[in-house]
Amino acid sequence: MIEEKILKRVLKPGRYTGGEFGQIIKDKAKVKARFAFCFPDTYEIGMSNLGIRILYGALNAHEDIWCERAYAPWIDMEEEMRKGDIPLWAVESGDPLKEFDIVGFTLQYELCYTNVLNVLELAKIPLLASERTDSDPIIIGGGPCSYNPEPVADFFDLFSIGEGEEALCEITRLYIQMKEEGSYTRAAFLREAARMDGFYVPSLYEVRYNEDGTIASHEPKYEDVPRRVVKRIMKDMDESYFPENFVMPYIETVHDRIMLEVYRGCIRGCRFCQAGMVYRPIREKTPDRLNEQAKCLFRNTGYDEISLSSLSISDYTQIGCLTDKLLEWTDDSMVSLSLPSMRLDSFTHELMEKISGVRSSTLTFAPEAGTQRLRDAINKNVTEADLLQALDVAFDYGKNTVKLYFMLGLPTETDEDIEGIAQLAKRVIDYYYERPGKRKGKAPSVTISVACFIPKPDTAFQWEAQCTLEELDRKQQLLKEKITDRRIRYNYHDANVSRLEAVFARGDRKLSGALLEARRRGVRFDSWDEFFNYDIWMEIFDTVGIDPAFYANRTFGEDEVLPWDVIDCGVDKAFFKRERAQAYASIPTPNCKEKCSGCGANRLGGERSWCRDCPSSLAK
Amino acid sequence: MVQGLPVVTRKIRIKFIKQGALKFISHLDLCRTMKTALIRAGIPIYYTEGFNPHPKMVFALPLSIGASSDCEYMDLKLVAEMSDAEVKERLAAALPVELAPIAVYEPQVKFAEIGWARYRMTFFGDYGVGSAAKLTEMLTSPMIVMKHTKNGERETDIQGGIGRFEIVELEGAAVLDIMLKADSANYTNPELIVQAMKEKPEDYRIERMGVYLADGITLFV
Ligand code: SF4
């Protein structure tokens, strides 16, 4: 363990000590492979991630595999480590990361890339995959950003594409097997891995560029390496591994509660949303299984809050049945339920009665756009009537603080749509006074939180250009002018941050040079306001000869080879093209519950899925 | 929902340790950890009434981050019968060993009667042989430090908070065995002694050894 005198000098030493209740300790002499799971941000954020909890448990369910955790040290600890020449360690054993067989990184957001490089450097592991030797750990990436792994392709040996519960165990088994046979070399292992389902080994592909910087070809170097890597999914969510136990953090984390994953995927198909596409097809768990898992986690963790987490919880077909089953015991055990991802149109008196977790007086909704026209174009199928109906319920319960989320710079957006945001916010306040009957609580306050649109891979808007900074600034100011009511609070995101996200979201391999330069300049924690420095990034792009506008502000051609074409998320490009055309015609697409629109994800299979009866040929 | 008011059957006191990695968690973190552990252990704890019920736990004394202790106390109320031995056994299974309960019993003395706490402080670095005189001099003169008070950070003389002490010189370290005031009005945090040292030790260790009543002799239990 790290020396006590250092722990005394840093903020929140509980980030580094490990020893949590529920952590898994094994005898390192008896295990055959050691896996370090790294979340490239602080401990508090990493410990709140449900995916890691699942994979940590799934790997450790194998007796001969020991999976540990690692996080990015905060800057004070980093300074101590650099000063004392202390290599980054895993929390459970305190052993240096570089002694592990495999180090996995989860890539949850683009702005963590500089942290990944910093973590590798602090762990004294060569940054570039090409510089690693047989004695270095294998570096695996996964998570949402791996649907376009190209900007970080040079730093990873391989990527696990899609859901990792089985895949990570299989790849570790392959490693063990090759080590035992004596056939292990890094090269042999990677070649073998590339032949397995759901693994992308970037070094086995050759990328050629056109003169204009776009990609000419992205080809496997060998015949047995797949042209496209199809993502892995867990077919039956009831059978899929789910932890019976959580590691219990001592220090406060972001989500310090039981998180119950109710289903995967999303039926909605918002045209800007990557998560809604890449987690398809929809697969549900049964209420009985969920109830069992919740009870078990309650007994083993002692948490008194259960959060039903899925992309849009009210779309769960058995939501009533599930909440009934849970409420049979949660109330008596002083456990509260929370449903964080409610849709406007599902906010009913009946649900409100059931959920004590909606204790807070804030009501949060995401109409995303200010006019029905634009909501139709982005396929966010909620109406003003839905909002008013939800407000009726909320006001009846004395919830008078309303938070609305919007996006600026969406494709097809006009100034009228921006004005619509201000009007919708005003409508909330007016409605409070218009409603007949008794008013409860204080006068309402409305906060609108406005993000900038970021074109994301694997969405209908993947080809779209992001507005320039000048244009985003103009739009932000326009909205500010249109908000005249002082009861409306207006927050907006730093457009510079969104621009950098856009660059990396649609980036290609050429960006690895920028990331290396960023490391040389000590850049990290880009997702933290206090460290994000746009000017440094512009200098970096300048130094390495990269034009950020090429990635962020250019409309990509529909026939262009996209950096992420090598990854098959299950949804077809043809579907995205159709959806894009629909967006320009402001025509919404029915959700999967109403009608299958043939996105193609059904070919991946899946139990208790909406698409079981879809005509699989539709997409072809 | 809770039917009527739960009957409070009895109060219990839990004496526990705080050591190893657990030295580094704050009081708030300790509360949260204890709460989940009590629920995991299935101990029938009393919850506060009201809109946002939470288990009622009262701790005897704060302990600064980084200090270890063999004598932490927490009082609870039980709403159903469970023997002291069973509470201890269940709680031990639900807590990491570094936070182990060492005794569970019915309290006889109130927390308010606590007057003193005894600490063992070990200073490393230049505090070897010959340091006793220096330390004695410091501990018997006015000791002005910045102290958190109700009115914010204030220059305070903590001399009044210091009781009897003894210093042992070792090779490369000095061990100070000291009584500090611990009643709520005059609680003296041992970290303040380190703060008052002109030459800071390279490293130091603080251990809480015992808690005493106002006479400074009778052990609190
Ligand atoms: S195949 Fe049809 S039902 Fe299934 S996810 Fe795609 S659009 Fe929805």
Side-chain angles (χ1 to χ4, degrees):
Chain A
M1 201 174 95
I2 186 103
E3 277 180 89
E4 284 196 4
K5 64 176 175 198
I6 294 180
L7 289 172
K8 277 186 208 149
R9 288 200 290 259
V10 297
L11 281 169
K12 303 192 192 175
R15 285 168 166 166
Y16 310 104
T17 49
E20 303 97 328
F21 189 83
Q23 72 167 5
I24 294 172
I25 299 288
K26 295 187 182 181
D27 180 350
K28 63 179 170 188
K30 289 198 185 125
V31 295
K32 291 179 183 155
R34 295 185 68 185
F35 197 115
F37 216 118
C38 181
F39 192 99
D41 211 314
T42 61
Y43 174 90
E44 301 92 289
I45 300 178
M47 281 295 281
S48 305
N49 182 279
L50 178 60
I52 293 198
R53 290 184 184 281
I54 296 175
L55 296 171
Y56 178 81
L59 281 159
N60 277 317
H62 294 246
E63 217 174 299
D64 53 355
I65 301 171
W66 185 11
C67 176
E68 303 185 38
R69 294 161 296 141
Y71 305 92
W74 191 241
I75 46 153
D76 53 356
M77 180 56 97
E78 177 182 343
E79 201 180 303
E80 296 282 353
M81 290 166 65
R82 291 192 186 272
K83 213 162 56 196
D85 200 26
I86 305 163
L88 186 67
W89 63 94
V91 175
E92 278 80 358
S93 63
D95 291 339
L97 238 50
K98 65 168 192 283
E99 289 173 13
F100 280 69
D101 297 296
I102 302 175
V103 177
F105 282 90
T106 176
L107 305 172
Q108 298 283 327
Y109 27 85
E110 291 83 5
L111 295 190
C112 77
Y113 292 165
T114 50
N115 275 20
V116 171
L117 268 65
N118 196 32
V119 162
L120 286 172
E121 186 176 288
L122 288 170
K124 298 181 187 288
I125 296 169
L127 301 188
L128 289 165
S130 58
E131 286 174 1
R132 289 182 204 126
T133 66
D134 287 353
S135 58
D136 288 311
I138 293 287
I139 309 295
I140 296 193
C145 291
S146 59
Y147 286 98
N148 176 19
E150 290 303 282
V152 283
D154 287 354
F155 309 107
F156 283 86
D157 296 303
L158 71 166
F159 291 92
S160 164
I161 306 298
E163 297 166 8
E165 287 93 334
E166 288 169 351
L168 288 184
C169 299
E170 286 168 21
I171 199 78
T172 311
R173 290 248 84 87
L174 173 71
Y175 179 92
I176 292 172
Q177 185 200 329
M178 291 182 78
K179 280 272 174 172
E180 281 181 340
E181 288 168 4
S183 61
Y184 179 86
T185 62
R186 173 173 294 267
F189 170 75
L190 291 177
R191 185 69 181 275
E192 202 54 42
R195 293 151 49 106
M196 287 168 52
D197 288 340
F199 286 97
Y200 172 55
V201 181
S203 58
L204 298 181
Y205 295 76
E206 169 122 23
V207 186
R208 286 181 216 279
Y209 298 93
N210 297 312
E211 247 170 56
D212 64 1
T214 57
I215 296 168
S217 65
H218 189 132
E219 300 284 326
K221 290 178 183 168
Y222 307 97
E223 267 187 7
D224 58 345
V225 175
R227 297 189 63 81
R228 296 191 78 198
V229 178
V230 184
K231 81 158 180 221
R232 293 277 296 262
I233 64 159
M234 300 306 295
K235 297 233 155 53
D236 186 338
M237 288 309 296
D238 264 4
E239 301 301 317
S240 180
Y241 178 87
F242 197 74
E244 296 186 345
N245 218 332
F246 280 179
V247 180
M248 300 294 291
Y250 292 120
I251 64 171
E252 194 167 6
T253 58
V254 186
H255 299 298
D256 208 12
R257 59 184 78 103
I258 293 173
M259 287 170 283
L260 201 59
E261 188 186 22
V262 177
Y263 69 94
R264 270 185 202 167
C266 181
I267 63 170
R268 295 287 160 177
C270 298
R271 292 179 179 134
F272 55 84
C273 178
Q274 185 187 45
M277 291 298 134
V278 299
Y279 298 128
R280 284 185 173 197
I282 301 95
R283 285 146 294 148
E284 295 192 343
K285 290 186 192 171
T286 57
D288 281 329
R289 185 87 177 104
L290 285 164
N291 192 31
E292 216 174 273
Q293 290 175 340
K295 270 190 195 159
C296 179
L297 275 173
F298 169 67
R299 268 198 309 272
N300 290 336
T301 64
Y303 275 134
D304 59 359
E305 184 181 351
I306 298 175
S307 158
L308 303 183
S309 61
S310 281
L311 285 173
S312 169
I313 189 65
S314 35
D315 286 335
Y316 179 50
T317 49
Q318 316 233 38
I319 186 72
C321 173
L322 173 63
T323 44
D324 285 346
K325 279 188 197 291
L326 290 171
L327 287 168
E328 267 171 35
W329 58 274
T330 50
D331 263 359
D332 288 340
S333 310
M334 300 288 189
V335 176
S336 67
L337 292 186
S338 61
L339 274 63
S341 61
M342 295 265 289
R343 276 180 61 86
L344 268 177
D345 46 4
S346 61
F347 203 75
T348 60
H349 280 94
E350 195 200 343
L351 258 178
M352 281 294 289
E353 287 294 341
K354 286 184 183 176
I355 316 156
S356 48
V358 226
R359 263 185 214 138
S360 92
S361 62
T362 312
L363 191 74
T364 309
F365 289 121
E368 305 292 0
T371 60
Q372 195 57 45
R373 205 280 310 156
L374 188 53
R375 283 194 295 273
D376 286 346
I378 63 174
N379 205 33
K380 185 88 198 182
N381 295 330
V382 291
T383 61
E384 187 172 309
D386 293 329
L387 175 66
L388 299 184
Q389 177 265 324
L391 288 175
D392 262 331
V393 180
F395 291 156
D396 281 348
Y397 281 82
K399 289 172 180 294
N400 296 346
T401 312
V402 181
K403 224 175 162 177
L404 300 173
Y405 287 93
F406 294 97
M407 247 184 236
L408 270 186
L410 284 160
T412 79
E413 180 184 76
T414 63
D415 285 359
E416 203 178 305
D417 297 312
I418 296 169
E419 235 173 282
I421 296 177
Q423 283 161 4
L424 199 61
K426 183 75 172 42
R427 188 83 189 87
V428 173
I429 291 180
D430 292 345
Y431 189 64
Y432 177 81
Y433 294 103
E434 278 169 24
R435 291 172 74 228
K438 207 167 83 210
R439 290 187 195 110
K440 267 193 195 171
K442 285 197 300 256
S445 83
V446 179
T447 303
I448 55 176
S449 215
V450 184
C452 304
F453 165 71
I454 299 166
K456 291 273 184 169
D458 299 323
T459 64
F461 291 156
Q462 62 181 353
W463 296 280
E464 300 292 336
Q466 188 179 48
C467 292
T468 60
L469 285 178
E470 295 71 38
E471 183 61 4
L472 284 171
D473 182 55
R474 188 191 69 81
K475 288 175 186 242
Q476 287 174 340
Q477 294 314 316
L478 174 69
L479 180 52
K480 196 176 198 170
E481 282 163 28
K482 296 293 172 195
I483 298 167
T484 45
D485 196 306
R486 290 184 42 209
R487 286 163 294 188
I488 301 172
R489 287 194 25 201
Y490 169 40
N491 300 325
Y492 53 92
H493 285 200
D494 180 351
N496 293 327
V497 175
S498 309
R499 185 165 196 245
L500 191 67
E501 279 182 74
V503 170
F504 282 103
R506 297 199 299 171
D508 57 26
R509 286 191 189 188
K510 287 175 283 186
L511 286 176
S512 60
L515 285 167
L516 278 174
E517 178 63 18
R519 176 81 299 274
R520 268 193 288 274
R521 293 176 185 237
V523 174
R524 40 60 173 138
F525 285 113
D526 285 310
S527 58
W528 292 71
D529 284 348
E530 60 261 57
F531 296 110
F532 179 79
N533 186 329
Y534 185 70
D535 296 337
I536 286 190
W537 272 106
M538 291 308 110
E539 279 175 36
I540 290 168
F541 288 135
D542 203 45
T543 310
V544 298
I546 276 178
D547 175 14
F550 176 80
Y551 301 102
N553 310 111
R554 183 173 66 91
T555 304
F556 287 20
E558 283 197 3
D559 300 324
E560 202 177 307
V561 179
L562 301 172
W564 54 94
D565 277 348
V566 64
I567 306 296
D568 183 350
C569 75
V571 179
D572 297 316
K573 210 180 208 177
F575 172 76
F576 292 137
K577 286 184 186 168
R578 288 202 302 275
E579 281 294 289
R580 189 184 188 205
Q582 296 283 88
Y584 276 91
S586 303
I587 299 172
T589 297
N591 67 52
C592 301
K593 233 187 228 185
E594 295 160 359
K595 182 173 170 287
C596 168
S597 43
C599 77
N602 57 329
R603 74 188 135 93
L604 300 173
E607 289 297 316
R608 287 178 303 286
S609 149
W610 280 102
C611 22
R612 220 168 354 166
D613 309 318
C614 301
S616 56
S617 56
L618 250 178
K620 297 284 132 65
Chain B
M1 274 291 126
V2 186
Q3 267 107 39
L5 292 182
V7 196
V8 176
T9 56
R10 63 189 186 104
K11 272 191 178 177
I12 54 164
R13 179 160 296 165
I14 294 165
K15 182 180 185 187
F16 62 97
I17 63 171
K18 189 169 184 263
Q19 285 170 349
L22 274 295
K23 286 191 305 201
F24 292 102
I25 69 166
S26 69
H27 185 68
L28 218 74
D29 297 334
L30 176 69
C31 294
R32 215 181 15 250
T33 300
M34 278 296 179
K35 177 178 149 184
T36 51
L38 287 163
I39 298 175
R40 281 198 294 274
I43 293 166
I45 32 175
Y46 169 79
Y47 276 68
T48 58
E49 305 296 327
F51 194 48
N52 189 0
H54 54 274
K56 191 158 169 75
M57 306 178 284
V58 185
F59 292 86
L61 289 178
L63 183 68
S64 53
I65 294 184
S68 65
S69 172
D70 286 338
C71 48
E72 294 303 292
Y73 300 89
M74 167 176 75
D75 281 2
L76 299 172
K77 290 178 193 169
L78 298 185
V79 291
E81 197 41 66
M82 186 179 275
S83 74
D84 294 341
E86 188 174 351
V87 170
K88 184 174 166 221
E89 191 185 319
R90 282 169 170 255
L91 198 54
L95 280 169
V97 284
E98 294 155 322
L99 215 54
I102 46 179
V104 176
Y105 51 90
E106 208 170 307
Q108 307 298 335
V109 192
K110 290 199 175 95
F111 288 157
E113 290 179 48
I114 292 173
W116 296 86
R118 187 177 144 216
Y119 299 90
R120 183 161 64 205
M121 304 180 69
T122 313
F123 305 114
F124 301 96
D126 281 340
Y127 281 86
V129 178
S131 56
K134 204 163 50 178
L135 283 169
T136 307
E137 154 86 42
M138 176 187 79
L139 292 165
T140 48
S141 320
M143 293 171 73
I144 310 296
V145 296
M146 295 300 284
K147 194 180 173 183
H148 283 291
T149 65
K150 276 183 216 114
N151 310 317
E153 290 269 320
R154 275 255 169 121
E155 280 203 351
T156 316
D157 184 0
I158 55 163
Q159 176 51 230
I162 290 171
R164 60 179 190 274
F165 63 86
E166 213 175 86
I167 300 162
V168 179
E169 295 176 352
L170 300 170
E171 204 59 58
V175 182
L176 167 66
D177 190 329
I178 191 167
M179 293 284 276
L180 296 175
K181 282 246 169 90
D183 57 293
S184 58
N186 301 298
Y187 180 76
T188 307
N189 185 338
E191 286 284 345
L192 294 175
I193 301 220
V194 184
Q195 215 195 93
M197 292 165 86
K198 287 213 179 56
E199 294 153 53
K200 299 279 180 246
E202 203 171 276
D203 193 6
Y204 61 95
R205 206 159 57 206
I206 301 175
E207 300 156 85
R208 183 181 277 160
M209 311 297 292
V211 179
Y212 295 82
L213 302 188
D215 63 5
I217 301 161
T218 318
L219 257 176
F220 170 86
V221 281

